[in-house]
């Protein structure tokens, strides 16, 4: 059974995706941990850093946002061409200028948000790109005939100059559902364009934060029910479901939902940096602002065959647990894994393949690279929400 629990506690929402009574995703939504991702602002250019080809933008939030020159110039189809433009950023913008931007990467402890003029309005079936005249598809849609038909259908509806990313959900959706979502996102963009304001910086579109993003992303993937514990959240969720045309069952249970499924106990394990494996081995997770380091250890596991096979078994079990923890803890950015050294090339390749397969359950993109000369496996993951 797949459930989304939204537990309001001390003026903050704790959001849990539960599969068979186990937490697989966990987010926190509050004023303190407010998610800016997807919000659109008329920002004010605060200052320009020519040496970095970048600028800082005042959004009216507590930290100025960062924008690179390539996010000011017209968007290129990065699958076909590389970014090249010699125009200095000082010729594109100047301090005090208004700039329409979307938050692409939320703020961190010491860093402000990353923003772009390349707007992307997230819907159930597509991400509408009003200023990018090309259509691409989710890499998870692999059927070539389906890819071709979806691209032709969406391209025929979009006004000239607009583009879209067709999401995985569109693969199994009806033609009517896809058309409805495309039209809805176009109308949403028109309203944003027509927003009146007297002063800037000003927020002109609120994406709804991690709560709305999570519901949109999960509504079409066998979600059995959504459970909330306050009438206020019931109304919020009903409004989101109605807006996107969803049909998921919503239950109101006015009690502390963290008492269900030993959630409190499960959360305590999420906060620990050491995770024991069933075999007796363990992994440690150390998160810094620059990257996340994960170390794999044999621990108490001594195996019953040769050393190479013992090491492989621990590494394989660790790979499965690491994929689970990346999703559960919403770890993003650069991740470096120090697996126990293996000497057989076939075992090294099998571990990479196993990790790739385990990460398929993750709705965020995980890009796995090769092992380095120091036997470290590098990967990146896009963080869904910043905690």
């Amino acid at each position: 059974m797949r459930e989304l629990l939204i537990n309001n506690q001390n003026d903050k929402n704790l959001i849990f995706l539960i599969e068979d009574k186990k937490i697989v995703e966990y987010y926190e939504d509050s004023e303190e941990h407010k998610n800016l991702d997807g919000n659109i602002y008329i920002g004010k250019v605060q200052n320009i850093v020519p040496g970095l080809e970048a600028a800082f933008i005042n959004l009216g939030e507590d930290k100025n946002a960062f924008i690179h020159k390539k996010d000011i110039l017209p968007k290129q189809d990065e699958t076909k061409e590389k970014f090249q433009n010699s125009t200095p950023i000082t010729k594109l913008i100047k301090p005090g200028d208004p700039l329409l931007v979307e938050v692409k990467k939320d703020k961190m402890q010491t860093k402000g948000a990353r923003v772009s003029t390349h707007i992307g309005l997230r819907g159930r079936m597509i991400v509408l790109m009003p200023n990018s005249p090309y259509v691409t598809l989710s890499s998870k849609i692999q059927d070539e005939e389906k890819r071709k038909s979806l691209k032709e259908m969406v391209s025929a509806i979009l006004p000239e100059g607009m583009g879209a990313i067709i999401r995985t959900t569109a693969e199994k959706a009806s033609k009517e559902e896809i058309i409805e979502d495309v039209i809805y996102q176009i109308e949403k963009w028109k309203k944003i364009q027509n927003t009146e304001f007297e002063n800037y910086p000003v927020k002109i579109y609120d994406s709804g934060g991690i709560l709305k993003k999570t519901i949109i992303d999960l509504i079409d993937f066998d979600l059995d029910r959504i459970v909330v514990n306050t009438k206020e959240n019931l109304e919020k969720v009903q409004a989101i479901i109605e807006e996107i045309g969803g049909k998921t069952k919503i239950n109101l249970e006015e009690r502390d939902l963290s008492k269900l499924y030993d959630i409190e106990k499960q959360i305590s394990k999420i906060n620990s940096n050491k995770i024991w494996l069933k075999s007796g081995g363990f992994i440690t997770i150390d998160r810094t602002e620059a990257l996340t380091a994960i170390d794999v250890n044999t621990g108490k596991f001594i195996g019953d065959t040769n050393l190479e096979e013992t090491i492989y078994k621990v590494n394989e079990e660790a790979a499965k647990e690491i994929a689970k923890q990346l999703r559960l803890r919403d770890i993003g950015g650069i991740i470096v894994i120090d697996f126990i050294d293996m000497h057989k090339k076939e075992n090294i390749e099998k571990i990479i393949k196993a990790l790739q397969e385990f990460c398929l359950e993750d709705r965020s993109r995980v890009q796995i690279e090769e092992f380095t000369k120091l036997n470290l496996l590098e990967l990146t993951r896009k963080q869904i929400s910043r905690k």
Side-chain angles (χ1 to χ4, degrees):
M1 187 171 184
R2 208 165 192 234
E3 307 163 271
L4 189 66
L5 307 186
I6 303 160
N7 191 45
N8 187 269
Q9 199 175 63
N10 302 322
D11 294 325
K12 65 182 177 183
N13 285 324
L14 301 181
I15 303 168
F16 306 97
L17 177 59
I18 307 290
E19 292 180 1
D20 299 324
K21 300 183 180 181
K22 301 289 184 184
I23 303 173
V24 294
E25 294 183 24
Y26 162 54
Y27 310 103
E28 189 173 312
D29 188 20
S30 66
E31 279 302 309
E32 184 183 355
H33 298 92
K34 158 171 93 165
N35 187 277
L36 305 181
D37 199 29
N39 288 354
I40 298 174
Y41 297 80
I42 302 292
K44 180 179 181 180
V45 178
Q46 199 68 23
N47 57 295
I48 299 171
V49 188
L52 296 177
E53 292 192 314
F56 289 96
I57 311 297
N58 183 354
L59 302 179
E61 302 287 348
D62 55 345
K63 289 186 178 77
N64 287 338
F66 178 87
I67 191 167
H68 191 271
K69 183 178 80 170
K70 72 175 184 178
D71 291 314
I72 299 171
L73 290 162
K75 176 103 174 144
Q76 295 174 301
D77 186 345
E78 294 171 1
T79 64
K80 296 180 180 178
E81 52 192 328
K82 292 183 179 179
F83 172 75
Q84 288 182 337
N85 193 294
S86 58
T87 307
I89 191 170
T90 50
K91 296 289 186 182
L92 301 173
I93 54 174
K94 62 181 184 295
D97 280 353
L99 197 65
L100 178 68
V101 294
E102 178 190 359
V103 175
K104 297 293 186 179
K105 188 175 181 182
D106 210 350
K107 60 186 178 181
M108 297 177 68
Q109 291 97 325
T110 59
K111 295 180 181 177
R114 179 79 180 256
V115 297
S116 174
T117 61
H118 308 146
I119 308 300
L121 295 178
R122 191 183 191 93
R124 278 176 70 189
M125 306 298 163
I126 68 159
V127 177
L128 181 70
M129 300 186 295
N131 305 317
S132 305
Y134 56 86
V135 176
T136 61
L137 297 92
S138 164
S139 59
K140 292 183 179 180
I141 303 175
Q142 297 184 342
D143 185 287
E144 286 303 322
E145 284 299 315
K146 190 68 176 178
R147 289 177 69 87
K148 183 181 177 182
S149 64
L150 285 171
K151 188 170 183 178
E152 288 174 352
M153 183 198 309
V154 172
S155 298
I157 307 168
L158 291 171
E160 187 177 352
M162 283 194 188
I165 301 170
I166 301 172
R167 306 188 67 200
T168 310
T169 47
E171 185 173 21
K172 296 181 181 178
S174 68
K175 182 178 179 180
E176 291 73 22
E177 287 177 313
I178 296 169
I179 292 172
E180 184 179 344
D181 190 52
V182 175
I183 292 172
Y184 181 76
Q185 301 312 317
I186 293 170
E187 290 303 312
K188 186 193 293 183
W189 172 242
K190 289 178 181 177
K191 288 179 183 178
I192 291 170
Q193 284 185 303
N194 294 329
T195 301
E196 296 182 0
F197 60 94
E198 294 181 0
N199 299 300
Y200 63 91
V202 60
K203 179 168 67 176
I204 61 172
Y205 172 74
D206 193 312
S207 66
I210 189 60
L211 176 60
K212 185 174 181 180
K213 183 178 181 181
T214 302
I215 292 172
I216 290 174
D217 285 355
L218 295 174
I219 200 76
D220 295 295
F221 290 97
D222 301 320
L223 190 62
D224 294 290
R225 65 171 185 160
I226 299 173
V227 185
V228 300
N229 70 332
T230 65
K231 291 178 180 177
E232 182 182 357
N233 274 337
L234 176 65
E235 291 172 0
K236 278 184 184 178
V237 173
Q238 285 175 332
I240 294 169
I241 297 290
E242 184 179 349
E243 178 187 334
I244 63 177
K247 297 175 182 177
T248 301
K249 180 181 179 183
I250 310 168
N251 290 353
L252 171 63
E253 297 184 15
E254 295 182 278
R255 56 177 173 141
D256 185 358
L257 300 179
S258 67
K259 304 299 181 185
L260 293 171
Y261 312 135
D262 286 327
I263 282 178
E264 288 180 330
K265 185 177 179 181
Q266 291 189 58
I267 291 175
S268 68
K269 290 182 179 180
I270 296 173
N271 294 327
S272 172
N273 76 327
K274 187 174 184 178
I275 301 102
W276 285 96
L277 306 174
K278 289 180 180 178
S279 65
F282 65 90
I283 63 173
T284 57
I285 300 175
D286 294 300
R287 301 175 72 170
T288 70
E289 200 162 316
L291 56 81
T292 297
I294 302 177
D295 190 36
V296 181
N297 297 272
T298 54
K300 302 171 185 176
F301 183 58
I302 57 174
D304 53 10
T305 56
N306 61 52
L307 179 61
E308 179 76 10
E309 286 307 304
T310 296
I311 289 171
Y312 174 76
K313 285 181 180 178
V314 175
N315 282 341
E316 184 183 38
E317 187 183 6
K320 185 174 184 178
E321 186 63 34
I322 287 167
K324 173 186 170 183
Q325 293 296 328
L326 294 180
R327 184 183 177 197
L328 179 60
R329 299 171 187 236
D330 194 25
I331 297 173
I334 300 169
I335 301 150
V336 178
I337 306 173
D338 187 5
F339 283 105
I340 307 165
D341 287 353
M342 296 170 288
H343 299 291
K344 289 185 178 179
K345 186 178 179 181
E346 63 189 77
N347 284 344
I348 292 171
E349 291 173 350
K350 280 161 68 178
I351 285 298
I352 294 175
K353 186 176 180 181
L355 185 58
Q356 288 171 335
E357 290 176 356
F358 294 140
C359 286
L360 291 176
E361 295 294 320
D362 198 329
R363 61 191 175 94
S364 187
R365 187 181 179 213
V366 180
Q367 181 70 40
I368 300 173
E369 304 297 334
E370 299 293 325
F371 276 87
T372 69
K373 291 181 180 179
L374 296 176
N375 287 322
L376 301 173
L377 185 62
E378 297 176 332
L379 56 145
T380 60
R381 179 182 181 274
K382 181 173 172 56
Q383 194 170 19
I384 291 174
S385 166
R386 296 201 178 275
K387 296 192 181 84

